[in-house]
Structures are given as structure tokens and as C-alpha cells.
């Protein structure tokens, strides 16, 4: 069988599936973070006016700020709830159907947002943000799983990494839609909050034309014919026996096993270091300070002499940086590997956090330091996009088997959303207490993350689950003679490729 037509067919159909799922998937995460910047003043005025009309009470500034903080932060708690229900939903409904059903939360949230002004209810905005957060929490877990299980081994990392590309594109798109010439003006803020329904509608119209995850169909549902049909559709050719055999091997390894629950993974020594790795790296993704750098952007741009009415346009450049970096990472990850991209990203972020701290410390005494601060913002975001933003979402797909994967994503997603909430609540206090040194804690997190990846995380690029499991086995049972569940032959043999030691 000729391999070139298969590769071309795979690229076309897989790209179309990725576009259909991603448009209403992780794009929503970045988009719904970004669109809250423009209408902040308008919504705070609306809250104050609503309370005054309803109860004849004039809120103090700190009270208005508190309500606004709740509106913004409640999104993270919704995301945490979404991460928790994503696992059971994927097990019951499958990956594709879960993404489609997820739009129920989105559409309900958009409806509440667009009618909140007419109803004179800021509580509707809070509920809307919870529902949209649930939508994003589910998509951030399910989409990388769907892509990782649907892509061939040589494209698995790039396909999963596209979830980060969509999230970064969502940030940039939200920044563009939020400028005053589009929907970022006072008369349009409720339409801005409800505009997230459009990507969801696009997903509802396009994703049903593509198949379910082949691995879910064979391993979870036991439907070999449906799996072969899905593979044929996604590859654009007849199914390669090596790929089907690899899925069959994983099915045999998990035969008779029910889907694992999150708490069961904590007590299972055979996945101890896989779980630790996912928890640490998912937490570091939020604790590294990338979202906080956006908070500082407007201040730094103003200090650099940029006019207030121009800052909103310069800010779009920060979203463009993250998008560019994520695209570059998706192109490089299959060549350089996961460890290289993660370590490189965290090392560069450590360096730029230190430089940023120095620039903030001396910008009042040295005139050109404000421009160095502005440079640090862009380079910090670029470094984040090149590593942690994309690679983090790949890991649960690659290092856990089909039975444990949904639970692993629940844990990873929960850590991400909890730490996003903590960072959002703590960072204003870091700024007020540490002032120009507020990025020192983030530099420490990035440095420690680099050390962990370098010391404990094995490379997963191009490896089957058997090989990856055997490498983690050395950590999980270090100093013990217990045999790995997979035999040495299985560890050295990747279906379709016999390693040199096995051949000899």
C-alpha cells in the first residue's frame, strides 16, 4: 500500500476535524478570558445602577469591585466543576458527543448574558459566567483527549497541541472583538458577553460530520467495525494494520477493566509518577504567571509612553504573540520532543521573569527600562506559548491508558482551574505587597518546574503506551524487583516497528 496518499488523506481529514472541534472547544477558554477586559467599567456601572434602582442603596467602590471580582473569578469555579464532570461525560457519551452536548451550557450562558441588561440583573451575568466556565472546563479536558486518540502516532503531539493554538487564538479574537469599534463600547457590552455563542454554533454545525474517537469506539464500546470506519474516515485510506494492532493491544491490556475513578489513581502505585507529573505540570501552567503578565501589560505600556486610547490595540499584540508561539510549538513538538519544549519554555520564562523584575525596579531611574519591561511582556508570553501552553494538554493522553485517561484529565483539569482561581485572587495582593518583585514567585515556580521535568519526566514523543509505561515503572517501583505488567518484549516492541534489541 502506498504511504503518501494515506498521509495526505490523514492530514486533510484530521485538520478538518480539528478545526470543527477546536472552534467551539478550547477557543472558548481564551475567548472568554479576553472579552472580560473591555466591559469592566461598563459592567461595574451597571451593577451600581441596578442596586441603586432595586434597593435604593449606593454601593461603595470596594463593594462594586467585590461584585466585579466575583463575576470574573466565578468563571474559574465553573471551569473546576466542568473538569470534574468531563470524565463521567466522556465515558458515558464519548468524546465527540460530549463536546456537542457541552454547548448546552454555553448557549444557556450566552442567553443569560444577552438578556441581563434588559432584565436589570447582574446576578444573571454571574450565573452566565458559571455556565460558560463549565463549558470551558469540559472542553479543556475532552478536546485534547479526542485529538490525541484520533490522530496517528506521528501526529499525536501536534494534534493535541492544536488545543493550545485554539485557546491562544481565542485570546486574540476576544481582544479584537473587545475593542471599542467592534463590541467593546457601552451600548454593546451584553452582546460582547454573548458573542461566545457564535463559535459554539459553528461547532454544532460542523463536528457531527466527523467520527468518534477510534480508540473510544474499540476499547470502550468494543465496536471494531465502527473503529475501522472512523480510522478510514480520518486517514482517508485503508486502515494500516500496525495502527489497528496497537489499539487492539491497548484493548487487550485493559480488557475487563472498568473506567478508573480519580481517587483510585491516588492509591495505585503503578501510576504514581504519571499522576504526580500531570498534577505538577498542570499546576505550573497556571502558577507560572502568564495570565498575570496580562494584568501588568496596560500599566507597562502606559509607562512606555503609549497613549491610553492606543493601549487596547497594542494589547492585541500580546494575544498574537501567544498564538504565534503555540503554532511554532505544534510544528516543533514532534521534532524536538515534549521534554525539550517544556524545559525550554520554563527556562526562558525564569530568565524573563528575572529581567522583568530588574526592569520594573529601575524604570523610574533609567528611561529606557520601560521599553525593556514592554519587551519582557512579549517574550514571557512567547516562552509560555512555546512550551507549557501546549505540551501540558498532551501528557494525560500519552502516559495513561484508556481506562485511566478520563480520570487523569479530571485531576489535571481540576488542578489547572483551582490554581487559576488562586492566582487570580492572590496576584493583586502580591502586587500590593511585593510591588516590583511580584514576579519573583513566578520565577521560582518556573525554575522548579524545569528541574522536575528534567529529572523525572521521560520523553514520550513517538512512543507507544507500553514503552512509556515501562519507563515510568522504573520510577514507580524504584528499588523493587516487581515486574512491569508489560513484558520486556512488549516494552521494546512498538507495533509496526521492531526495536534493534528485539530484532537482535
Amino acid at each position: 500500500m502506498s504511504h503518501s496518499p494515506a498521509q495526505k488523506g490523514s492530514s486533510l481529514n484530521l485538520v478538518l476535524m480539528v478545526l470543527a472541534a477546536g472552534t467551539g472547544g478550547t477557543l472558548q477558554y481564551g475567548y472568554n478570558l479576553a472579552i472580560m477586559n473591555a466591559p469592566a467599567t461598563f459592567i461595574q456601572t451597571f451593577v451600581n445602577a441596578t442596586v441603586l434602582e432595586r434597593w435604593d442603596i449606593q454601593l461603595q467602590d470596594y463593594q462594586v469591585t467585590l461584585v466585579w471580582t466575583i463575576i470574573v473569578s466565578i468563571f474559574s469555579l465553573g471551569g473546576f466543576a466542568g473538569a470534574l464532570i468531563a470524565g463521567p461525560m466522556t465515558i458515558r457519551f464519548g468524546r465527540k458527543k460530549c463536546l456537542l452536548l457541552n454547548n448546552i451550557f454555553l448557549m444557556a450562558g450566552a442567553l443569560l448574558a444577552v438578556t441581563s441588561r434588559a432584565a436589570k440583573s447582574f446576578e444573571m451575568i454571574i450565573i452566565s459566567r458559571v455556565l460558560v466556565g463549565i463549558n470551558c472546563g469540559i472542553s479543556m479536558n475532552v478536546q485534547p483527549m479526542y485529538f490525541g486518540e484520533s490522530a496517528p502516532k506521528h501526529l499525536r503531539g501536534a494534534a493535541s497541541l492544536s488545543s493550545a493554538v485554539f485557546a491562544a487564538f481565542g485570546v486574540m479574537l476576544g481582544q479584537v472583538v473587545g475593542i471599542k469599534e467592534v463590541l467593546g463600547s457601552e451600548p454593546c457590552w451584553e452582546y460582547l458577553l454573548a458573542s461566545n455563542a457564535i463559535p459554539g454554533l459553528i461547532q454544532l454545525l460542523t463536528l457531527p460530520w466527523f467520527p468518534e474517537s477510534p480508540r473510544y469506539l474499540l476499547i470502550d464500546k468494543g465496536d471494531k467495525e465502527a473503529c475501522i470506519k472512523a480510522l478510514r474516515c480520518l486517514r482517508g485510506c485503508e486502515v494500516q494494520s500496525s495502527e489497528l494492532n496497537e489499539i487492539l493491544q491497548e484493548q487487550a491490556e485493559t480488557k475487563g477493566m472498568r473506567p478508573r475513578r480519580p481517587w483510585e489513581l491516588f492509591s495505585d502505585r503503578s501510576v504514581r509518577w504519571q499522576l504526580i507529573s500531570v498534577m505538577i505540570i498542570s499546576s505550573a501552567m497556571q502558577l507560572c504567571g502568564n495570565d498575570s503578565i496580562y494584568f501588568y501589560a496596560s500599566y507597562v505600556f502606559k509607562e512606555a509612553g503609549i497613549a491610553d486610547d492606543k493601549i487596547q490595540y497594542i494589547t492585541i499584540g500580546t494575544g498574537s504573540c501567544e498564538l504565534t508561539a503555540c503554532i511554532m510549538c505544534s510544528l516543533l513538538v514532534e521534532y524536538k520532543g515534549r521534554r525539550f519544549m517544556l524545559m525550554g519554555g520554563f527556562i526562558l520564562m525564569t530568565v524573563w521573569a528575572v529581567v522583568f523584575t530588574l526592569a520594573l525596579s529601575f524604570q523610574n531611574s533609567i528611561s529606557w527600562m520601560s521599553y525593556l519591561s514592554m519587551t519582557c511582556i512579549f517574550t514571557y508570553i512567547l516562552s509560555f506559548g512555546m512550551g507549557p501552553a501546549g505540551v501540558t494538554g498532551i501528557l494525560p493522553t500519552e502516559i495513561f491508558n484508556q481506562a485511566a485517561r478520563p480520570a487523569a484529565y479530571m485531576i489535571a483539569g481540576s488542578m489547572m482551574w483551582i490554581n487559576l482561581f488562586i492566582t487570580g485572587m492572590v496576584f493583586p495582593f502580591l502586587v500590593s505587597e511585593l510591588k516590583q518583585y511580584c514576579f519573583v514567585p513566578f520565577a521560582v515556580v518556573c525554575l522548579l518546574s524545569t528541574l522536575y521535568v528534567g529529572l523525572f519526566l521521560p520523553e514520550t514523543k513517538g512512543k507507544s503506551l507500553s514503552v512509556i509505561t515501562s519507563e515510568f515503572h522504573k520510577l514507580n517501583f524504584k528499588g523493587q524487583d516487581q515486574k512491569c505488567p508489560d513484558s520486556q518484549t512488549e516494552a521494546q516492541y512498538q507495533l509496526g516497528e521492531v526495536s534493534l534489541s528485539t530484532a537482535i
Side-chain angles (χ1 to χ4, degrees):
M1 181 181 292
S2 174
H3 290 286
S4 56
Q7 291 173 349
K8 288 181 181 177
S10 173
S11 298
L12 175 62
N13 294 329
L14 196 62
V15 165
L16 291 175
M17 183 272 283
V18 165
L19 288 173
T23 300
T26 53
L27 180 144
Q28 295 285 2
Y29 170 72
Y31 187 80
N32 285 287
L33 283 177
I35 61 173
M36 294 305 292
N37 293 327
T41 304
F42 309 137
I43 294 178
Q44 290 178 40
T45 302
F46 170 71
V47 169
N48 204 3
T50 300
V51 172
L52 182 63
E53 181 178 343
R54 190 185 297 173
W55 293 301
D56 197 25
I57 298 174
Q58 181 70 48
L59 294 179
Q60 301 295 318
D61 287 346
Y62 80 90
Q63 293 173 314
V64 176
T65 303
L66 177 61
V67 175
W68 171 247
T69 303
I70 292 172
I71 290 173
V72 173
S73 301
I74 205 76
F75 173 76
S76 301
L77 297 182
F80 174 62
L84 291 179
I85 65 175
M89 283 184 68
T90 55
I91 294 168
R92 179 168 183 178
F93 300 110
R95 286 41 165 165
K96 185 185 83 168
K97 191 177 289 186
C98 181
L99 287 173
L100 292 171
L101 291 173
N102 190 28
N103 285 290
I104 294 173
F105 298 107
L106 177 70
M107 296 303 175
L111 182 62
L112 287 171
V114 79
T115 56
S116 61
R117 190 173 197 169
K120 298 181 180 179
S121 172
F122 63 86
E123 296 90 347
M124 292 173 67
I125 301 177
I126 296 175
I127 298 172
S128 169
R129 292 292 290 174
V130 173
L131 292 173
V132 171
I134 292 173
N135 170 271
C136 294
I138 292 172
S139 63
M140 289 290 284
N141 277 16
V142 179
Q143 185 178 306
M145 196 189 315
Y146 181 39
F147 290 173
E149 292 178 359
S150 299
K153 187 165 57 178
H154 69 283
L155 292 175
R156 186 176 60 200
S160 297
L161 227 162
S162 64
S163 295
V165 174
F166 279 104
F169 178 67
V171 171
M172 190 185 74
L173 183 62
Q175 291 170 338
V176 172
V177 175
I179 64 175
K180 60 185 178 182
E181 288 84 359
V182 187
L183 292 177
S185 58
E186 198 280 333
C188 299
W189 62 260
E190 71 269 33
Y191 302 110
L192 176 61
L193 297 187
S195 61
N196 51 23
I198 297 175
L201 182 61
I202 293 173
Q203 186 189 72
L204 285 171
L205 294 174
T206 56
L207 187 57
W209 298 97
F210 295 94
E212 178 57 85
S213 155
R215 287 181 180 270
Y216 173 81
L217 290 171
L218 180 56
I219 300 174
D220 289 67
K221 307 302 288 186
D223 193 339
K224 185 176 179 181
E225 291 303 316
C227 171
I228 293 173
K229 184 178 179 182
L231 285 171
R232 192 179 292 128
C233 174
L234 291 171
R235 306 295 178 262
C237 67
E238 288 302 315
V239 179
Q240 300 290 319
S241 59
S242 60
E243 183 174 15
L244 183 60
N245 287 339
E246 185 180 340
I247 302 175
L248 286 168
Q249 180 186 347
E250 187 174 345
Q251 182 193 34
E253 291 169 357
T254 58
K255 190 173 183 179
M257 294 174 59
R258 59 170 175 76
R260 307 289 295 279
R261 296 183 175 92
W263 54 87
E264 293 175 343
L265 299 186
F266 287 100
S267 60
D268 186 351
R269 184 165 185 174
S270 67
V271 296
R272 177 177 296 175
W273 280 98
Q274 291 95 312
L275 192 60
I276 291 172
S277 298
V278 164
M279 292 177 67
I280 288 177
I281 296 170
S282 296
S283 298
M285 180 181 171
Q286 297 299 343
L287 296 177
C288 67
N290 183 70
D291 291 329
S292 301
I293 203 97
Y294 285 100
F295 173 87
Y296 241 106
S298 296
Y299 165 75
V300 171
F301 294 154
K302 189 180 294 185
E303 289 294 311
I306 298 172
D308 289 347
D309 60 338
K310 303 296 182 185
I311 288 178
Q312 62 174 336
Y313 306 109
I314 302 297
T315 304
I316 295 174
T318 59
S320 304
C321 268
E322 188 169 337
L323 175 61
T324 302
C326 287
I327 292 173
M328 290 174 62
C329 185
S330 66
L331 297 175
L332 291 173
V333 71
E334 293 298 347
Y335 295 98
K336 295 296 185 180
R338 285 51 158 162
R339 292 177 78 250
F340 178 88
M341 301 303 292
L342 270 176
M343 290 180 66
F346 280 126
I347 288 172
L348 288 174
M349 290 173 75
T350 305
V351 171
W352 290 117
V354 172
V355 175
F356 189 45
T357 301
L358 293 173
L360 290 174
S361 301
F362 294 103
Q363 71 178 14
N364 291 328
S365 56
I366 304 176
S367 59
W368 54 267
M369 278 294 179
S370 59
Y371 297 102
L372 179 59
S373 298
M374 191 163 64
T375 302
C376 287
I377 288 176
F378 289 101
T379 52
Y380 199 86
I381 293 170
L382 278 168
S383 303
F384 175 76
M386 285 294 292
V391 179
T392 303
I394 302 174
L395 292 179
T397 297
E398 295 192 323
I399 65 179
F400 288 93
N401 64 25
Q402 193 79 4
R405 198 169 292 140
Y409 266 106
M410 287 172 65
I411 295 169
S414 298
M415 297 304 299
M416 189 193 80
W417 287 102
I418 289 172
N419 285 292
L420 175 63
F421 178 76
I422 292 172
T423 303
M425 297 299 290
V426 170
F427 184 67
F429 296 100
L430 286 179
V431 174
S432 62
E433 295 297 323
L434 299 181
K435 296 181 173 58
Q436 69 268 29
Y437 302 106
C438 61
F439 266 78
V440 171
F442 298 134
V444 173
V445 169
C446 292
L447 180 60
L448 293 176
S449 301
T450 303
L451 293 174
Y452 179 84
V453 172
L455 293 173
F456 299 108
L457 186 68
E459 181 55 69
T460 61
K461 181 190 75 169
K463 295 179 181 177
S464 67
L465 182 63
S466 313
V467 176
I468 297 169
T469 300
S470 69
E471 293 185 18
F472 271 109
H473 175 81
K474 298 171 186 175
L475 290 171
N476 292 326
F477 297 99
K478 191 173 183 179
Q480 296 189 16
D481 295 329
Q482 181 175 337
K483 291 185 178 181
C484 181
D486 301 307
S487 67
Q488 187 67 20
T489 303
E490 288 176 326
Q492 293 174 339
Y493 182 80
Q494 297 184 40
L495 289 158
E497 303 171 10
V498 181
S499 67
L500 182 60
S501 57
T502 306
I504 294 174

